[in-house]
Amino acid sequence: MRKDGSPLMCPMQRERALWSFILPDYSEGSGEGEPVSKSRIIGGPSPPSVFVGRYGYPLVRIGPSVPPVEGDTTLFDLPEAWSNRKIEEVLSFRLSMITGEKTMSIKSMSDRFVEEVRLLALSSKPTDVEMILKKPPMPSLRLSELEPPQGPRSQLIQMKLVGNPSIERPVEKVYEDTDMRALEAIAYLYTSNIPVSRIQRILSVGGVGLKRQRKIVPTRWSITAVDSSLSRLLLKEVKGYETLD
């Protein structure tokens, strides 16, 4: 029991409580509840958002995350804009996004599905996506100190980009320049005012680096790699400043 008298909850209880807040019809009986959507066809404007799992590497689960809603969903996958938002609002963003996944090799850079996921990840604006899933997605919540909360997932049968991705010039430049090293590309995007979360997403789909070295990178690893690279660059810059007396 906490100091305020409220009971301590195990991770499963916390997950159920959060789902009950976001999805009032969530059932605690079996721990599974009702499907988030009764349909296997999910469509909506992806923020854009892409997830790449790390288990099974070098075979990884990859796919788009799509909230079946209308309107501007940019904030759903933009952590830089969450500082003034309530945690319930952020969880609502994340739990409303349904991820469709396919298992692919990290070297499947020329696969048509991977190319569509990459185009989505390169986009700077929400892009309409339609997914056909194997089964209706069930309630699910994954929390980590290293990446944003992840909501429902289901095996993906088919994905279609309904809208046209909007790709900014700096992003297009690093994607097309296959002679630019990944570290150089990350620095260039950062100095071009591309949000760090977007740089992480671009790296995860193999959107930067030397041509022969490009590959799919698990989301968690891409977050760590970009943060580490930018930290070293900024530290080097700070060390070059004059000291204050």
Side-chain angles (χ1 to χ4, degrees):
M1 182 172 292
R2 297 188 178 91
K3 292 181 179 180
D4 61 2
S6 60
L8 292 172
M9 293 188 291
C10 70
M12 184 176 293
Q13 288 174 319
R14 287 199 298 270
E15 177 175 337
R16 290 175 178 174
L18 286 169
W19 264 110
S20 296
F21 177 84
I22 303 299
L23 191 65
D25 293 334
Y26 176 67
S27 169
E28 296 189 50
S30 64
E32 295 181 351
E34 294 296 323
V36 176
S37 171
K38 294 182 179 180
S39 175
R40 295 187 300 111
I41 301 176
I42 305 295
S46 181
S49 183
V50 169
F51 178 78
V52 181
R54 68 188 190 282
Y55 295 113
Y57 189 90
L59 296 178
V60 296
R61 293 171 290 108
I62 178 175
S65 297
V66 180
V69 300
E70 297 180 356
D72 188 353
T73 58
T74 303
L75 289 178
F76 286 38
D77 200 19
L78 188 64
E80 291 86 348
W82 293 348
S83 59
N84 294 323
R85 301 280 175 171
K86 293 182 178 180
I87 188 170
E88 293 86 358
E89 189 175 8
V90 173
L91 285 172
S92 180
F93 292 158
R94 302 301 299 176
L95 294 178
S96 67
M97 291 202 297
I98 298 170
T99 302
E101 302 175 322
K102 277 190 176 183
T103 299
M104 305 294 298
S105 166
I106 60 169
K107 297 182 179 180
S108 305
M109 298 299 292
S110 59
D111 181 86
R112 183 176 178 181
F113 164 69
V114 173
E115 288 180 344
E116 284 209 315
V117 173
R118 187 181 305 117
L119 278 176
L120 176 64
L122 295 177
S123 181
S124 62
K125 297 180 180 179
T127 304
D128 287 336
V129 176
E130 184 178 279
M131 302 187 298
I132 300 178
L133 306 175
K134 184 175 182 180
K135 296 180 180 180
M138 301 298 292
S140 176
L141 172 64
R142 296 168 179 81
L143 299 174
S144 168
E145 70 277 8
L146 299 177
E147 58 191 14
Q150 300 293 330
R153 303 177 186 177
S154 184
Q155 185 176 341
L156 181 65
I157 295 178
Q158 183 179 335
M159 166 198 172
K160 180 180 180 181
L161 284 179
V162 180
N164 294 319
S166 176
I167 303 176
E168 296 158 303
R169 180 55 191 160
V171 175
E172 184 178 11
K173 174 180 172 60
V174 298
Y175 174 63
E176 293 182 347
D177 190 346
T178 54
D179 292 322
M180 181 185 291
R181 294 183 178 277
L183 182 59
E184 182 183 352
I186 290 171
Y188 175 77
L189 291 174
Y190 182 75
T191 56
S192 298
N193 296 318
I194 302 299
V196 172
S197 60
R198 285 195 57 213
I199 301 174
Q200 294 163 347
R201 185 163 61 243
I202 293 168
L203 175 64
S204 74
V205 295
V208 297
L210 301 177
K211 183 176 182 179
R212 66 180 182 278
Q213 295 179 353
R214 292 191 180 190
K215 59 186 177 183
I216 300 170
V217 180
T219 297
R220 181 173 295 194
W221 299 357
S222 69
I223 291 174
T224 302
V226 171
D227 287 353
S228 177
S229 298
L230 291 178
S231 295
R232 289 197 299 269
L233 289 171
L234 293 174
L235 181 60
K236 183 178 180 180
E237 179 182 337
V238 170
K239 286 183 175 180
Y241 292 163
E242 294 183 4
T243 58
L244 296 176
D245 296 330

